[in-house]
Amino acid sequence: MTVLIVGAGPAGLTLAAELGLAGVPCRVLERRSERYPHSRAFALTPRCLEIMEMRGEVEEFLTRGLESPVVSLGSKGRGIDMRRYIDSRHAYNLILPQVQTEEVLEAWALKRGAVIERGTEVTGLEQDADGVTVTVRGPEGEHTERASYVVGCDGIRSTVRSLLGISFPGMPSEFSAILADVQLKHVPEDEQVFARHTDRGMVAVMPFPDGHFRLMIQDHRRMQVPVGEPVTLEEIRSSAADILEVDLGIHSPRWLSRFRSEQRLAERYQVGRVLLAGDAAHAHTPAGGQGLNLGIQDTVNLGWKLAATVQGWAPADLLDSYEAELRPLAARILRQTESVFRFNTARGPLLRGARWTVKQLLHVPALQRSVITEMAGTKTRYGKGAHRMTGRRVPDTTLTLASGAEESLFPLLNSGKAVFLDSSPAGELARAAERLWPEHLTAAHVRRASGRLPEALLVRPDGHVGWASDHPDQPAFRAEVGRWLGDPVA
């Protein structure tokens, strides 16, 4: 039996690549016969770029995308430079249309051995203790097949979630807004990416690498327009000019869309052998660009845990930690994106005054750091432990090994295995780790590092700290590493 992934969006393709890297056969079933040609999402955050670097896949994204290190605060000349606060080689958002992100992810998944079947949808599922029976309808008709696990990555209208009977509480926004991919005759020169708030509404402008621009328009006079009413070129020209008080020379639209955001969170992420990830598990407003990026984080967290479970070496509660870690993160991001959306659409003198006050406060460095690291995904922490680093993401670090060789941390994660770093003088735990978990980790005896490291550090395959200790002992070492990697071989 194999793992069936339902949905070939960013979350499903990333999961397929992760399972393939771990040697777990998987198939991706996609209802659409061809990839959706338009892009709702348009950027990858620093943390997602780090994830791609950890797997040795980041260069293709960088070749296609446009680096954008400054986050606009909605006023001319005011923004936050991410490079001031993020300890990463990728201290920027990478502007890249979702359709191109999916092209790169699909190539990665296929390279790892995944099978992608388009024009194929799941219409039913039943599960027992040994697997899942799935009813599939494709070009040749309907049939049933068995899978060891099924993961629904099939979006906000998820069939898998509906078949499981999992509720998806939340609500749609009361306002509609517009997305438009266009060309501009008069390109703003003062900022690469900018947003402007006025009494009339908000316009955000983002350049795409191919010369087009993404506009997001929230016009207070047009936000009650039904989603089904077509967007016209004249409408976006008029709204943008009235809000910005300048003429951008909008022309040659290739995509115009009116949308109403939804804020929802699945009641559960797992029922037996069926799990949810990406938009099937959570839906966000576009504010902050978190939806696609959180879906990738979901599946990098899930991939190695599901692979370990399928292969039979996972600790008993390892797969349960997926929902325990990711659902609270999604809930927090939902609260934040809702606050940003309300901030952007605030009306009335009191609300506008509050928005002005918040803008002034955002020039305080401590608040800037908190906001930027949250948006970038580098602040994410999965649980807490006795050590300050437990659960945190680990930035790339240059290591000088006991042999004298220099190595960076991220390439050690290319294999999708955990990494154990031993900074003690003797390196006894590194040797023990290699002996006790030879198939599931890479161990290194470290003499020096470019960043401060504890004496013992277990970096999980998803780049977060599983265990850290400044004064490790053998019993704690065996117990804490075994918590993530299962029983030692001896």
Side-chain angles (χ1 to χ4, degrees):
M1 289 192 294
T2 186
V3 173
L4 286 182
I5 300 168
V6 184
L13 294 171
T14 303
L15 180 59
E18 288 289 279
L19 291 175
L21 180 62
V24 173
C26 68
R27 289 168 48 227
V28 183
L29 309 182
E30 170 55 49
R31 177 178 56 83
R32 292 191 177 98
S33 57
E34 296 182 2
R35 185 183 297 110
Y36 186 61
H38 304 299
S39 302
R40 288 198 177 276
F42 59 87
L44 295 173
T45 61
R47 183 53 182 161
C48 275
L49 293 171
E50 288 185 337
I51 286 170
M52 299 310 162
E53 186 175 1
M54 286 189 297
R55 295 299 184 260
E57 301 290 340
V58 74
E59 290 303 323
E60 182 63 24
F61 293 95
L62 299 182
T63 298
R64 295 180 179 226
L66 181 65
E67 297 178 14
S68 178
V70 177
V71 176
S72 174
L73 295 181
S75 301
K76 184 176 181 179
R78 291 190 172 187
I80 305 174
D81 192 330
M82 304 176 83
R83 293 167 294 193
R84 295 178 59 188
Y85 301 113
I86 299 176
D87 56 338
S88 174
R89 280 193 294 275
H90 307 292
Y92 49 83
N93 287 319
L94 187 75
I95 301 175
L96 186 66
Q98 180 174 334
V99 65
Q100 292 198 41
T101 296
E102 291 181 5
E103 287 176 2
V104 180
L105 290 173
E106 182 171 322
W108 178 25
L110 291 172
K111 181 174 66 176
R112 297 299 182 191
V115 175
I116 300 173
E117 299 180 13
R118 298 187 180 275
T120 305
E121 61 180 319
V122 169
T123 60
L125 57 83
E126 295 181 359
Q127 58 180 312
D128 52 45
D130 299 318
V132 187
T133 301
V134 184
T135 304
V136 178
R137 183 165 57 222
E140 298 180 359
E142 193 168 84
H143 67 277
T144 61
E145 57 184 274
R146 290 281 284 176
S148 54
Y149 284 84
V150 173
V151 185
C153 301
D154 49 342
I156 190 172
R157 313 295 177 207
S158 170
T159 297
V160 173
R161 190 186 61 241
S162 297
L163 291 171
L164 288 175
I166 296 176
S167 64
F168 200 38
M171 61 176 54
S173 167
E174 57 186 308
F175 303 119
S176 64
I178 290 173
L179 293 178
D181 292 349
V182 299
Q183 293 186 5
L184 305 179
K185 291 180 181 178
H186 311 302
V187 179
E189 296 180 355
D190 56 335
E191 296 172 62
Q192 184 186 48
V193 175
F194 75 90
R196 296 289 181 269
H197 299 109
T198 68
D199 289 345
R200 176 68 182 267
M202 187 275 289
V203 173
V205 182
M206 290 75 67
F208 282 151
D210 65 357
H212 283 78
F213 288 79
R214 162 63 54 84
L215 303 184
M216 187 167 79
I217 302 173
Q218 296 170 345
D219 184 344
H220 291 314
R221 297 184 185 177
R222 303 286 298 167
M223 291 175 71
Q224 298 299 336
V225 174
V227 172
E229 182 173 318
V231 180
T232 66
L233 180 59
E234 181 54 39
E235 178 183 6
I236 62 173
R237 282 173 171 168
S238 176
S239 289
D242 288 345
I243 294 168
L244 298 175
E245 298 181 343
V246 296
D247 180 13
L248 296 176
I250 300 169
H251 68 99
S252 304
R254 66 180 177 190
W255 184 51
L256 302 174
S257 175
R258 199 184 312 274
F259 72 96
R260 194 181 303 276
S261 298
E262 296 196 37
Q263 291 273 100
R264 298 185 183 275
L265 179 62
E267 187 176 49
R268 301 177 63 183
Y269 278 20
Q270 179 180 3
V271 175
R273 289 175 171 265
V274 185
L275 301 100
L276 302 175
D279 288 349
H282 43 74
H284 309 258
T285 73
Q290 295 298 308
L292 179 152
N293 290 277
L294 184 56
I296 290 175
Q297 287 181 252
D298 284 352
T299 47
V300 171
N301 182 293
L302 173 60
W304 67 279
K305 297 174 181 179
L306 181 56
T309 303
V310 171
Q311 291 168 339
W313 58 266
D317 59 351
L318 182 64
L319 195 56
D320 294 339
S321 71
Y322 164 62
E323 178 176 326
E325 292 179 343
L326 268 298
R327 193 173 182 279
L329 173 62
R332 188 175 79 243
I333 291 176
L334 280 167
R335 292 191 294 270
Q336 293 165 354
T337 55
E338 176 67 14
S339 296
V340 173
F341 184 78
R342 292 189 180 280
F343 175 84
N344 289 339
T345 57
R347 299 190 70 184
L350 289 178
L351 290 174
R352 290 199 302 270
R355 186 167 63 204
W356 181 89
T357 301
V358 170
K359 285 184 180 180
Q360 307 316 306
L361 289 173
L362 282 175
H363 292 288
V364 177
L367 289 177
Q368 287 189 351
R369 180 183 299 277
S370 178
V371 169
I372 288 300
T373 54
E374 192 75 65
M375 290 179 61
T378 56
K379 191 177 181 179
T380 300
R381 185 176 188 181
Y382 297 143
K384 296 182 179 180
H387 196 277
R388 59 180 177 80
M389 291 185 67
T390 304
R392 297 189 185 278
R393 143 268 188 193
V394 182
D396 198 10
T397 304
T398 301
L399 310 170
T400 302
L401 306 182
S403 64
E406 282 200 350
E407 179 69 271
S408 292
L409 173 61
F410 280 5
L412 296 178
L413 290 160
N414 284 179
S415 66
K417 297 180 180 180
V419 172
F420 183 79
L421 303 179
D422 180 351
S423 299
S424 69
E428 293 180 0
L429 292 184
R431 291 189 292 274
E434 287 183 324
R435 184 179 71 253
L436 297 173
W437 292 278
E439 300 297 323
H440 307 319
L441 61 71
T442 300
H445 182 198
V446 180
R447 291 295 188 201
R448 292 185 303 277
S450 59
R452 181 185 174 192
L453 294 180
E455 190 165 299
L457 180 69
L458 177 69
V459 183
R460 305 181 336 181
D462 57 10
H464 284 258
V465 175
W467 175 62
S469 177
D470 294 314
H471 306 287
D473 57 40
Q474 280 282 348
F477 159 71
R478 292 178 70 104
E480 294 294 338
V481 176
R483 174 189 171 198
W484 298 109
L485 303 185
D487 293 334
V489 296

